[in-house]
Amino acid sequence: MAQNCLKCLKYSMCVVNFLCFICGTAGFGFGVFMMMNSKVSSLIPSLSSLNIANMLFITGIIMTCVSFLGFLGALKENRCLLFTFFILLFILMLVELTAAFLLLLYESKIDTFLQRDLTDSLEKSRESANGGNSTMSMGDWDIIQTTFQCCGVHNSSDWKDKVPASCCSKTQCDINQPGCYNKLKAWFEENFLATGVAVIVLCIIEVLGMCFSVTLFCHISQSGLSYK
């Protein structure tokens, strides 16, 4: 009976890690695609390297590597790979919890920083549209303003005397549209619960992965199987 449970555990780990490997590969590929075809990073110049494309790229690589270790360690019953898999999952969980804690702790400072950076990027985009030396493109702001039906950081007056066409709908140009900062903030607040649930579920999966790997590791150690 115990042997059947351990076999079930082993192959369950293989299946789950294989699915995570596929998801990681898809995220990696989508990240590369976005890096080549999207430029939304200039909305926050100070964090231009931490745009969605790069985050997907990095997350995809991490998921692919960690899940590959878990899959191979379970399949080959290799204690070294299982131990490495456990350590990596533990580190990832600590990083996620630390990041969540810091975001909650410095929420007001992050809020002020984002407002300042969005205002800075808008000014550079306005200079670029007026033929200035700035290399900032209007395309990023056009995408955000069209998607969220907003204008400027706080309102259309941020653009001064040259309001872009993306502030207008197909039928009319309403200069009284709300600012993009408030619209983006409202969107994040609406999806805060879903994000929190996703983080909790991810942590639970990581804890289960660590428990399974430790159980399989101890069984291999007691049985004297595979690599020392």
Side-chain angles (χ1 to χ4, degrees), residues 67-87:
S67 57
F68 179 75
L69 285 175
F71 174 81
L72 197 60
L75 185 66
K76 297 295 184 180
E77 297 186 357
N78 186 306
R79 290 193 300 171
C80 180
L81 291 177
L82 286 171
F83 181 73
T84 305
F85 176 70
F86 172 86
I87 294 297

Side-chain angles (χ1 to χ4, degrees), residues 19-197:
L19 292 175
C20 289
F21 179 84
I22 297 298
C23 292
T25 304
F28 169 79
F30 190 59
V32 172
F33 174 79
M34 288 189 67
M35 287 169 68
M36 298 177 66
N37 296 278
S38 178
K39 297 181 180 178
V40 184
S41 58
S42 64
L43 283 176
I44 308 177
S46 298
L47 298 176
S48 59
S49 59
L50 292 178
N51 55 63
I52 297 175
N54 287 347
M55 293 300 290
L56 279 173
F57 180 79
I58 294 169
T59 304
I61 290 177
I62 293 172
M63 279 187 66
T64 302
C65 294
V66 173
S67 57
F68 179 75
L69 285 175
F71 174 81
L72 197 60
L75 185 66
K76 297 295 184 180
E77 297 186 357
N78 186 306
R79 290 193 300 171
C80 180
L81 291 177
L82 286 171
F83 181 73
T84 305
F85 176 70
F86 172 86
I87 294 297
L88 289 175
L89 280 182
F90 182 71
I91 292 173
L92 284 174
M93 190 174 68
L94 284 181
V95 170
E96 290 160 9
L97 293 176
T98 302
F101 175 76
L102 291 175
L103 284 173
L104 291 174
L105 184 64
Y106 296 103
E107 183 180 0
S108 59
K109 291 184 179 180
I110 293 172
D111 187 70
T112 304
F113 164 77
L114 289 176
Q115 287 192 64
R116 185 178 66 248
D117 235 35
L118 283 172
T119 302
D120 183 51
S121 72
L122 185 142
E123 289 176 355
K124 290 180 179 178
S125 296
R126 190 177 66 241
E127 289 176 10
S128 177
N130 291 330
N133 296 325
S134 175
T135 58
M136 193 74 70
S137 171
M138 278 289 298
D140 300 335
W141 275 101
D142 287 338
I143 292 171
I144 295 298
Q145 291 179 153
T146 303
T147 303
F148 290 92
Q149 295 182 342
C150 55
C151 189
V153 178
H154 301 290
N155 50 55
S156 60
S157 64
D158 294 331
W159 292 105
K160 296 186 178 178
D161 58 342
K162 192 167 184 178
V163 179
S166 55
C167 284
C168 308
S169 63
K170 293 181 179 179
T171 56
Q172 61 180 349
C173 190
D174 183 10
I175 62 172
N176 296 317
Q177 286 195 67
C180 292
Y181 172 74
N182 289 329
K183 277 292 189 81
L184 288 169
K185 187 176 180 180
W187 183 83
F188 280 114
E189 288 175 350
E190 288 172 4
N191 292 276
F192 182 78
L193 179 61
T195 304
V197 171

Side-chain angles (χ1 to χ4, degrees), residues 196-216:
V197 171
V199 171
I200 292 172
V201 170
L202 183 59
C203 287
I204 292 173
I205 292 173
E206 288 171 346
V207 170
L208 289 175
M210 288 189 288
C211 292
F212 288 175
S213 61
V214 167
T215 303
L216 199 55

